[in-house]
Amino acid sequence: MGNPPEWLGPEFDLARALIKARTRAGITQAELAARMKTTQSAVARLESGRVPPSTRTLEKVAQATGTRLRIQFDPP
């Protein structure tokens, strides 16, 4: 995929991470939505990077994809 342009910002990085977790789990947006007890359109909005997810939503994605959520602060 390469690196996204800098102007896309961290929202795009997070969206890419969400997509990567889902695809590594081998599930569709609809399957992820069912596991999270939400809708496919809500998952699509999360993966678009236009909707900032809450920490709770990120925890649900991690649980639904069999991954571990890790939030960190890195120096510039």
Side-chain angles (χ1 to χ4, degrees), residues 1-5 8-24 46-49:
M1 279 188 178
N3 292 327
L8 288 175
E11 298 85 12
F12 186 78
D13 292 337
L14 181 54
R16 272 189 22 182
L18 291 168
I19 294 166
K20 190 174 187 179
R22 178 178 58 76
T23 56
R24 278 188 175 165
L46 285 172
E47 291 186 357
S48 75

Side-chain angles (χ1 to χ4, degrees), residues 16-67:
R16 272 189 22 182
L18 291 168
I19 294 166
K20 190 174 187 179
R22 178 178 58 76
T23 56
R24 278 188 175 165
I27 58 176
T28 65
Q29 286 184 346
E31 290 168 323
L32 178 59
R35 291 180 184 190
M36 292 175 62
K37 298 185 179 10
T38 190
T39 63
Q40 181 274 327
S41 60
V43 170
R45 284 192 299 275
L46 285 172
E47 291 186 357
S48 75
R50 292 186 306 251
V51 176
S54 68
T55 303
R56 180 67 191 126
T57 297
L58 294 175
E59 290 170 346
K60 286 181 180 182
V61 170
Q63 184 176 11
T65 59
T67 58

